[in-house]
Amino acid sequence: MTEEEKKKLKRDKTGRVIFTKKMRKTYTILFPMMLPIHFKIIQNIMNHYGYHCELLTDTSPAIAQTGLKYIQNDMCYPAILSCGQMIHALESGKYDLDHVALMISQTGGGCRASNYIKLLRKGLEKAGLDYIPTVSFNISGLEPNPGLKITLPMIMKGAAAIIYGDLIMCLKNQTEPYEVNKGESQKLTDKWTDFLSDELLHKHGGTSTKAINKNLNAICKDFNAIQLDGKPRVKVGIVGEIYVKYAALGNNNLEKFLRDEDCEVNLPGLMNFMLFKIDNRIIDIDLYGGHKLKRMVCKWLFDYNTKMQNLFCDAIKNNTHFAVPSKYEHVKELDKGVNGYGNRMGEGWLLTAEMLELCDAGYPNIICTQPFGCLPNHISGKGMIRKVRELYPNSNIVAVDYDAGAAKVNQENRIKLMLSIAKENLEKEEAEKKAKEATAK
């Protein structure tokens, strides 16, 4: 693109390049990876609606270095990684820089995550790539772009993708460590991810209550048929800042590390976080005022997603022997009197509630993943460990900081120390169980 062509690009009053309808037809939109199952389905939905989206899956160490090159090193670690991943992709030579755009989510809240897109633009400017459009994906009306239109059918398909992704992730985590025939869980994950992606491309495919209920039950039956060895494993839950909690790039492949240590991983799903965010919008309007139509839309979204979550829980309960994750209303109730509901920055009170949920569900061994310097996590995560231990004396929690300067070996050593205690507790529980069975005979 020539300098003259760059000057002709449509910009708003702040100087950002606007993603136009014309660009939508010819541009490739890149966005960073967080949840492999969920994001693959969402990518396919976006492509179905006429966008050409590509999910960035590279997790090489060079990404953090690229991020540090263009983003201040005292910024949030997820910002360094997500922005670094996108700029690294641009510098790879794989893409036509005259026909590529970058997309990142933006909540609009007080967390630094709302400013990632601003940091990305500064990084692009420093790299000499400030003519590349940066698109904010949000439902708050922030930074509108004519080339990106989020419609109600897209939102419904996105909600379906979240509930499907949560179910597959939940069942995979409860079967993979125990499977007799290794690889079965991954095969089913791939099978259903592809099937659901295809079904959601139809006009109303996969989004009606009937279709979602049918698919959820079928997925549960498939995973329930996997032959398991029944050997007791250490059960470990993961909580924390949303990106570091889910993204392998952000937590140094924490899930794989735990599986290599022969653990069962419990990763709370994305739906409770979505309900938490929608609930907050409704509360804000009730307390501080706002458009009635916006409240109606938020209430409809909350009720719709709650209905999907109910179907999700019923499907596991009625078709499997697996543990059923707690519904949002129960998770919120667990936190009553523990962490105030007014604490809504970032993951807010939900982070503490997820630790309580895990302990309540039999996963007392918890890793609290937090970017270094993340205030919401240090308050609602690390800062609430003592309170959680008071309520659940058998809880075994470790807070691990993730940062560009943190050594992976030090992180893993801290986790291994927690796991050594967890293994001792498991051996003690199994010995007591056998003693009771022997006495009963």
Side-chain angles (χ1 to χ4, degrees):
M1 187 177 291
T2 64
E3 290 301 318
E4 191 63 30
E5 288 173 324
K6 291 177 185 177
K7 290 178 181 178
K8 290 181 180 179
L9 289 171
K10 188 176 180 181
R11 298 174 183 264
D12 67 4
K13 60 184 180 181
T14 67
R16 74 175 178 92
V17 177
I18 294 175
F19 185 72
T20 64
K21 291 181 180 179
K22 186 178 179 181
M23 289 176 176
R24 173 177 173 174
K25 298 176 182 178
T26 58
Y27 274 54
T28 298
I29 303 174
L30 309 179
F31 64 104
M33 167 66 83
M34 189 172 75
L35 284 151
I37 301 168
H38 302 64
F39 276 32
K40 184 179 178 182
I41 299 174
I42 291 171
Q43 173 191 272
N44 291 334
I45 292 170
M46 292 290 292
N47 289 340
H48 169 67
Y49 279 96
Y51 303 92
H52 182 203
C53 294
E54 187 170 325
L55 186 59
L56 299 175
T57 57
D58 186 5
T59 59
S60 65
I63 289 172
Q65 296 308 309
T66 301
L68 288 170
K69 184 178 178 181
Y70 297 110
I71 309 296
Q72 288 180 312
N73 64 356
D74 61 346
M75 288 308 300
C76 190
Y77 187 44
I80 292 172
L81 291 180
S82 55
C83 295
Q85 190 176 41
M86 287 188 277
I87 298 176
H88 182 264
L90 297 177
E91 293 181 339
S92 69
K94 183 180 176 181
Y95 303 98
D96 176 3
L97 299 185
D98 293 344
H99 294 89
V100 69
L102 306 176
M103 183 167 68
I104 193 167
S105 61
Q106 197 176 11
T107 62
C111 178
R112 288 182 290 182
S114 291
N115 296 313
Y116 287 3
I117 197 164
K118 305 292 186 183
L119 296 171
L120 177 59
R121 288 185 189 128
K122 284 189 175 182
L124 290 172
E125 184 178 355
K126 188 176 180 181
L129 301 169
D130 58 330
Y131 60 91
I132 292 176
T134 48
V135 183
S136 170
F137 188 89
N138 68 84
I139 58 173
S140 303
L142 301 171
E143 298 194 350
N145 288 279
L148 177 66
K149 186 178 180 181
I150 300 175
T151 63
L152 184 58
M154 284 178 66
I155 292 173
M156 291 181 68
K157 289 180 185 290
I162 290 172
I163 206 68
Y164 288 143
D166 277 0
L167 182 66
I168 295 171
M169 181 175 71
C170 171
L171 298 180
K172 181 176 183 285
N173 284 339
Q174 292 191 63
T175 55
E176 193 168 43
Y178 305 96
E179 59 188 9
V180 173
N181 303 309
K182 298 301 178 184
E184 276 191 281
S185 300
Q186 187 59 53
K187 286 180 181 177
L188 282 182
T189 297
D190 295 337
K191 167 194 165 182
W192 278 106
T193 301
D194 292 339
F195 173 83
L196 295 168
S197 294
D198 290 339
E199 188 177 60
L200 287 168
L201 301 189
H202 297 97
K203 188 175 181 181
H204 299 295
T207 58
S208 69
T209 302
K210 184 178 179 181
I212 289 176
N213 192 45
K214 178 183 176 183
N215 288 333
L216 293 177
N217 282 285
I219 294 168
C220 286
K221 289 175 182 177
D222 257 9
F223 275 92
N224 196 55
I226 293 176
Q227 187 180 358
L228 308 179
D229 62 21
K231 177 185 172 184
R233 261 90 174 177
V234 169
K235 296 183 177 183
V236 182
I238 303 175
V239 300
E241 189 274 334
I242 189 167
Y243 181 85
V244 176
K245 169 184 171 183
Y246 289 126
L249 177 62
N251 59 37
N252 288 327
N253 282 293
L254 178 58
E255 284 185 76
K256 183 180 183 302
F257 170 75
L258 290 172
R259 288 195 183 96
D260 290 343
E261 292 291 318
D262 201 26
C263 298
E264 178 193 329
V265 179
N266 187 328
L267 200 57
L270 186 60
M271 182 53 77
N272 274 342
F273 180 80
M274 298 303 294
L275 287 167
F276 167 72
K277 287 298 180 183
I278 299 169
D279 193 16
N280 290 343
R281 296 294 170 87
I282 297 171
I283 293 170
D284 283 343
I285 294 171
D286 290 343
L287 290 176
Y288 310 116
H291 203 290
K292 289 183 179 179
L293 180 59
K294 184 177 180 181
R295 191 192 187 284
M296 286 174 62
V297 172
C298 288
K299 185 63 169 63
W300 179 85
L301 279 172
F302 185 86
D303 292 342
Y304 178 78
N305 285 307
T306 299
K307 189 175 184 179
M308 295 305 101
Q309 189 176 59
N310 290 337
L311 293 176
F312 164 93
C313 293
D314 289 344
I316 299 175
K317 182 180 178 181
N318 297 331
N319 297 285
T320 78
H321 55 276
F322 301 123
V324 182
S326 297
K327 298 177 184 178
Y328 177 75
E329 58 187 20
H330 178 65
V331 175
K332 190 173 183 178
E333 184 63 27
L334 284 172
D335 200 51
K336 189 174 183 179
V338 179
N339 192 345
Y341 296 141
N343 179 4
R344 293 181 280 139
M345 195 73 71
E347 289 68 36
W349 60 260
L350 181 65
L351 176 50
T352 309
E354 284 188 337
M355 288 195 286
L356 297 171
E357 175 197 1
L358 288 167
C359 292
D360 192 54
Y363 292 81
N365 310 296
I366 300 170
I367 300 171
C368 186
T369 62
Q370 49 191 38
F372 179 76
C374 180
L375 190 59
N377 267 249
H378 280 278
I379 293 172
S380 296
K382 189 175 183 179
M384 295 301 293
I385 290 176
R386 180 177 178 181
K387 182 64 177 178
V388 174
R389 284 175 177 161
E390 288 176 4
L391 296 170
Y392 294 92
N394 67 329
S395 59
N396 177 28
I397 309 170
V398 61
V400 181
D401 284 342
Y402 287 88
D403 187 68
K408 181 179 178 181
V409 64
N410 290 342
Q411 294 165 342
E412 292 182 349
N413 283 340
R414 293 201 67 202
I415 295 169
K416 283 182 177 179
L417 181 61
M418 182 274 286
L419 291 179
S420 66
I421 297 171
K423 289 173 183 176
E424 288 178 8
N425 291 339
L426 179 62
E427 289 172 2
K428 184 179 178 181
E429 288 172 11
E430 288 301 307
E432 291 175 353
K433 184 179 177 181
K434 288 178 181 179
K436 286 181 180 179
E437 289 174 352
T439 304
K441 291 179 180 179

